[in-house]
Amino acid sequence: NESFFYSVVQIDYTINQEILNNENVSFTSNYFQLGGDSLTATKVVSKIQKELCVEVSIGDIFKYPILRDFSEFIKKIEKDRHLPYKRIVHDFKNINEPFPLTDVQFAYWIGRNKMYSLGSVATHCYFELDCLNIEPNKLQKVINDMIKYHSMLRAIILNNGTQQILGKVPPFMLDINNLSCLNKVEQEEALKLTRDIMSHEILKIDKWPIFNFKLSILDEIKSRLHISLDNIILDGWSMFYILDELKLRYNDENFYKELPDVSFRDYVLEIRKVKNTSKYQVDKKYWLDRLNGFLEAPKFEIAKLESDIEEQTFNRREKIIDSYGLNKLKGIARENNITLTILLITLFSEIIRKYSLNDEFVLNITQFNKEQIHPDINKIIGDFTNLTFLEVKNCTSDSLLEKSKMLQKQLLEDTKHNSYSAVEFGRELRNKHSNNRYSLMPIVFTSGLGLSEGRKDAWLGELVYSISQTPQVWLDHQVMEMDGKLKIIWDSIDEIFTAQLLDRMFESYGNLLDTIINNTNAFSTKINYKENKDTENNVCIREDLSVYQNNEPDEDIHKSNKKTEDKLNTELLYSISEIWKEILKIEEIKKEDNFFKLGGNSLNMIQLSNTLMERYGFHLELGEFMETPYIENLVIKLMDFLK
């Protein structure tokens, strides 16, 4: 037993040293003191499961942060938590065959449609890099080399809701715009025009490529590289990986990497198998048991309803915390055995609480957790995003420290049950609140800590501008480390909040961060905004989703349908009813039934659309169906089409 224990300790020691990139690991080392966070914990868990064949979780690491204690815990793990290490096998033969979207990809795909408010927008990131001495032909070759290497840069999204990696694609032609003949004012106008076009563009995802590069030449030395990336094929980690590799390949003509022995297609198909396991059923029960009392998103006094916004535009607010401030925040996190991400979520939630109408609410947490199920898994790109609906509860007697520990415990427990996804749980919440059209959890927190090297010179040029957008998101808080500094970003739809309210919220957040940095004891101090909330005057209070969701059929629709009731093709009505029964897994359908009230969701709607196309060649307009989701309306439209 003692021999086994020291073998476990040695493996733990090696894994932590390798992943945390810290040579000062010892048996008494504290995971948080070494700079560990949830992202590195994911890698540690995967490595331990591979090397020791035992099932551990991120929560286990956080519960036993001392290396020796954690090793002792592993030694005592019950036999039923021992598991064989599974390595996925690369299905090279079928790599170009269509495969399913992940739950998050599917949500992005659905969000591009007009059927949702704040839809008709891509999940998209745009970057501008100021570069020196760039050779356009060399850059174009590098981009094409990366397309050959990274299979997901050859991916498209098919109209039936699946994705496909293309075997061959034509050469990517870099769009080059020579502005050197223009004066400074004219150059700025041309650059702004390019930014306006590319920063919020909706790339056609059923056509290759689902990305874009453009080079604006300013003079003999300086140029600006515009990069447009759709997150439906690249998550945050993958984007940074691409931007890092772009420079490595450009600077090294002999750059070479062996092709990975795994693909994103292999990964998706393997991960989907969990839905057939007992773990999935346990995780599903964990979430559904909380359904009835689950909190709602933050509610604000707003200027516009979602339905009043014709074309949403995201705006950015930034705050840079210098290396001194960053180190102070890291120190607070280390000393209290919490991650820097949790510290920031805690402070962010306090500002949301200050300005929201509800003191308890849900934040939509974006996580980039790539399961380490193959040695080459970190060589491949794709969308590995996971979402977690984090309930933020309020206890007025708690300090920020106590709240952060409570949030960390809750997030770890939620993440432990993430095989049943937030997208699936979101469908249940939509059904519960009869909300098939409006935003569900529009306040997002995205941590990019640990995703990139964070060096200013890691990319091909200096980052001078960036912006992101996501369907059905009001505010996305992003954080990343760049050049030893902390970069805080808020991307938001100002029309909803009014710019003045967001300015005040962002200023309050910055002031709270500064207070914690300048007085670390403040983190252990009670903060309660409940009794003195700031409010904006002369604004519309946001209605409940159930109020402005049109759940009842329009009277004119019923009158129209009564006139055509006798004309309904009974054979066709029967056929469509059978299709609904099969998709919705129910036994009885009435001609006045509402697809969504019967339990239908966006995934079921896509299944219906595909079935109608296969059987009748009929294209179901999803936006129209969302407005009138009744079987008799569908039969009437189908009758007209078949005539």
Side-chain angles (χ1 to χ4, degrees):
N1 285 340
E2 194 67 19
S3 174
F4 172 76
F5 170 68
Y6 281 108
S7 297
V8 169
V9 169
Q10 186 58 44
I11 291 173
D12 276 358
Y13 170 83
T14 304
I15 289 172
N16 279 278
Q17 189 178 54
E18 174 189 335
I19 293 175
L20 296 173
N21 195 27
N22 192 324
E23 295 183 357
N24 297 320
V25 177
S26 68
F27 293 162
T28 58
S29 291
N30 183 304
Y31 179 76
F32 295 100
Q33 296 289 337
L34 293 170
D37 56 28
S38 57
L39 192 65
T40 53
T42 302
K43 297 177 182 179
V44 171
V45 165
S46 297
K47 285 277 190 180
I48 287 174
Q49 290 183 165
K50 175 187 174 183
E51 299 291 339
L52 300 176
C53 295
V54 292
E55 183 181 0
V56 294
S57 68
I58 298 174
D60 295 332
I61 295 176
F62 286 15
K63 185 176 181 180
Y64 303 101
I66 306 301
L67 180 58
R68 183 183 179 93
D69 294 344
F70 184 57
S71 300
E72 185 71 40
F73 164 75
I74 291 177
K75 175 186 171 185
K76 295 177 180 178
I77 282 180
E78 303 92 337
K79 290 183 179 179
D80 61 0
R81 287 183 65 179
H82 285 254
L83 66 163
Y85 177 69
K86 295 180 180 179
R87 166 176 168 163
I88 55 177
V89 178
H90 182 27
D91 186 7
F92 179 78
K93 180 181 178 182
N94 295 307
I95 190 173
N96 303 126
E97 293 297 317
F99 61 104
L101 297 171
T102 67
D103 286 344
V104 172
Q105 284 180 302
F106 185 84
Y108 290 165
W109 181 61
I110 286 291
R112 301 171 74 96
N113 293 285
K114 294 180 181 179
M115 62 187 185
Y116 289 115
S117 65
L118 301 184
S120 299
V121 64
T123 306
H124 176 264
C125 286
Y126 171 73
F127 303 89
E128 289 182 3
L129 306 180
D130 271 356
C131 309
L132 302 176
N133 299 311
I134 290 295
E135 300 175 31
N137 290 341
K138 183 177 178 181
L139 177 59
Q140 181 167 283
K141 180 184 182 302
V142 166
I143 294 171
N144 278 284
D145 287 344
M146 293 177 69
I147 292 169
K148 292 175 184 176
Y149 182 87
H150 294 288
S151 59
M152 282 303 288
L153 291 181
R154 304 191 303 274
I156 59 171
I157 311 300
L158 303 178
N159 292 327
N160 63 358
T162 61
Q163 56 191 321
Q164 182 178 25
I165 295 169
L166 302 177
K168 290 185 179 181
V169 294
F172 177 81
M173 304 304 294
L174 179 65
D175 188 1
I176 302 171
N177 194 7
N178 194 334
L179 308 180
S180 61
C181 59
L182 306 179
N183 62 41
K184 294 293 183 183
V185 174
E186 292 170 331
Q187 283 186 352
E188 287 302 319
E189 290 176 351
L191 291 172
K192 184 180 183 303
L193 180 60
T194 299
R195 176 180 296 175
D196 290 343
I197 293 172
M198 294 183 67
S199 63
H200 286 73
E201 70 179 326
I202 303 177
L203 296 160
K204 293 184 178 180
I205 56 177
D206 61 338
K207 306 290 182 184
W208 183 85
I210 314 181
F211 57 84
N212 195 14
F213 290 83
K214 183 172 183 175
L215 187 68
S216 295
I217 298 175
L218 303 179
D219 55 40
E220 293 182 355
I221 298 175
K222 191 174 180 181
S223 58
R224 180 164 296 180
L225 181 60
H226 312 263
I227 305 171
S228 171
L229 303 173
D230 199 305
N231 293 130
I232 202 166
I233 59 167
L234 299 171
D235 63 9
W237 179 90
S238 299
M239 285 192 304
F240 289 150
Y241 189 87
I242 286 294
L243 293 174
D244 288 348
E245 188 177 305
L246 185 66
K247 178 174 183 178
L248 292 174
R249 285 181 178 270
Y250 186 88
N251 287 345
D252 184 0
E253 293 183 358
N254 299 315
F255 182 92
Y256 173 77
K257 280 200 305 186
E258 285 189 14
L259 287 171
D261 191 31
V262 66
S263 71
F264 184 65
R265 181 180 185 275
D266 299 326
Y267 181 89
V268 171
L269 294 177
E270 182 66 26
I271 293 299
R272 282 177 67 85
K273 293 177 182 177
V274 74
K275 295 184 183 294
N276 299 319
T277 65
S278 58
K279 178 182 177 355
Y280 177 79
Q281 296 303 323
V282 169
D283 292 356
K284 183 177 181 179
K285 185 178 185 302
Y286 169 83
W287 288 102
L288 293 185
D289 283 350
R290 297 165 60 190
L291 180 63
N292 288 333
F294 205 76
L295 298 176
E296 297 182 26
K299 296 181 180 181
F300 297 92
E301 295 183 343
I302 62 174
K304 273 188 180 181
L305 297 175
E306 290 183 359
S307 53
D308 295 333
I309 297 177
E310 296 180 1
E311 184 176 345
Q312 64 265 37
T313 300
F314 283 78
N315 298 284
R316 173 160 288 194
R317 291 167 177 79
E318 291 187 3
K319 177 180 176 65
I320 304 296
I321 295 176
D322 61 22
S323 56
Y324 170 80
L326 174 57
N327 288 331
K328 291 282 281 187
L329 292 174
K330 285 183 175 179
I332 295 171
R334 284 196 302 267
E335 290 167 11
N336 294 289
N337 286 355
I338 60 173
T339 66
L340 179 56
T341 294
I342 283 293
L343 188 153
L344 294 172
I345 289 177
T346 304
L347 302 185
F348 178 61
S349 65
E350 286 303 309
I351 298 305
I352 296 298
R353 180 177 286 115
K354 177 178 181 180
Y355 290 93
S356 67
L357 301 176
N358 45 338
D359 296 309
E360 298 187 320
F361 45 80
V362 175
L363 294 180
N364 194 344
I365 308 296
T366 305
Q367 296 171 301
F368 306 107
N369 294 336
K370 185 188 294 186
E371 298 288 342
Q372 302 293 304
I373 53 179
H374 191 282
D376 289 346
I377 202 68
N378 291 322
K379 293 181 182 179
I380 66 171
I381 58 175
D383 181 26
F384 301 91
T385 309
N386 283 318
L387 302 177
T388 301
F389 293 162
L390 177 64
E391 287 189 297
V392 180
K393 298 182 179 180
N394 187 35
C395 181
T396 55
S397 63
D398 286 343
S399 67
L400 289 173
L401 173 58
E402 290 168 320
K403 290 179 179 180
S404 68
K405 286 184 175 293
M406 190 164 59
L407 282 175
Q408 179 162 278
K409 181 180 180 181
Q410 182 65 59
L411 185 57
L412 287 172
E413 191 63 23
D414 291 347
T415 305
K416 186 177 176 181
H417 296 90
N418 66 1
S419 69
Y420 180 74
S421 72
V423 176
E424 293 173 291
F425 185 55
R427 292 182 189 130
E428 298 298 331
L429 288 171
R430 285 187 179 279
N431 287 335
K432 180 177 183 293
H433 296 290
S434 299
N435 170 25
N436 296 312
R437 187 172 180 83
Y438 298 94
S439 297
L440 185 66
M441 299 298 175
I443 308 301
V444 179
F445 186 99
T446 303
S447 175
L449 297 174
L451 294 185
S452 178
E453 293 181 29
R455 296 197 329 270
K456 193 175 183 179
D457 61 353
W459 294 352
L460 199 56
E462 179 184 355
L463 179 66
V464 293
Y465 180 83
S466 62
I467 191 73
S468 69
Q469 59 181 3
T470 308
Q472 296 219 310
V473 166
W474 295 5
L475 168 62
D476 186 0
H477 174 302
Q478 302 163 37
V479 58
M480 62 188 71
E481 189 174 341
M482 297 286 287
D483 251 14
K485 301 175 183 177
L486 194 67
K487 190 172 186 178
I488 304 287
I489 296 168
W490 282 18
D491 283 344
S492 58
I493 302 176
D494 287 9
E495 283 184 273
I496 290 180
F497 299 89
T498 74
Q500 294 78 12
L501 176 58
L502 279 170
D503 286 342
R504 294 175 63 201
M505 289 171 64
F506 192 69
E507 182 181 8
S508 295
Y509 184 50
N511 291 339
L512 182 55
L513 280 164
D514 292 340
T515 298
I516 299 300
I517 290 168
N518 295 324
N519 178 15
T520 55
N521 291 330
F523 194 63
S524 302
T525 304
K526 168 186 167 183
I527 291 184
N528 178 25
Y529 291 121
K530 183 174 182 179
E531 296 176 358
N532 184 28
K533 288 197 174 188
D534 294 328
T535 58
E536 295 283 344
N537 295 322
N538 303 317
V539 292
C540 305
I541 296 181
R542 176 191 179 218
E543 302 174 44
D544 288 337
L545 291 175
S546 58
V547 175
Y548 60 81
Q549 167 68 24
N550 182 17
N551 293 314
E552 296 302 323
D554 188 85
E555 282 188 20
D556 293 333
I557 293 172
H558 267 315
K559 289 177 182 177
S560 172
N561 289 344
K562 278 199 173 284
K563 292 178 183 178
T564 58
E565 190 172 322
D566 296 332
K567 300 179 182 179
L568 283 177
N569 184 318
T570 54
E571 184 179 341
L572 192 57
L573 178 61
Y574 174 78
S575 298
I576 299 302
S577 297
E578 290 302 305
I579 292 173
W580 281 33
K581 288 179 185 178
E582 182 181 347
I583 291 174
L584 300 177
K585 309 298 182 191
I586 56 179
E587 296 181 356
E588 184 180 358
I589 299 281
K590 299 175 183 177
K591 64 178 179 296
E592 65 272 14
D593 275 339
N594 180 312
F595 185 81
F596 298 106
K597 283 194 173 182
L598 292 174
N601 55 44
S602 54
L603 180 59
N604 299 139
M605 184 171 57
I606 298 302
Q607 292 174 306
L608 175 62
S609 176
N610 292 340
T611 303
L612 293 174
M613 178 60 72
E614 290 171 6
R615 295 194 186 181
Y616 303 104
F618 175 71
H619 175 67
L620 181 65
E621 290 290 343
L622 302 183
E624 288 183 17
F625 186 70
M626 289 287 293
E627 296 290 346
T628 54
Y630 309 102
I631 192 166
E632 54 186 343
N633 287 80
L634 178 56
V635 171
I636 291 168
K637 288 183 179 294
L638 191 52
M639 286 169 58
D640 291 340
F641 171 77
L642 293 176
K643 285 179 182 177

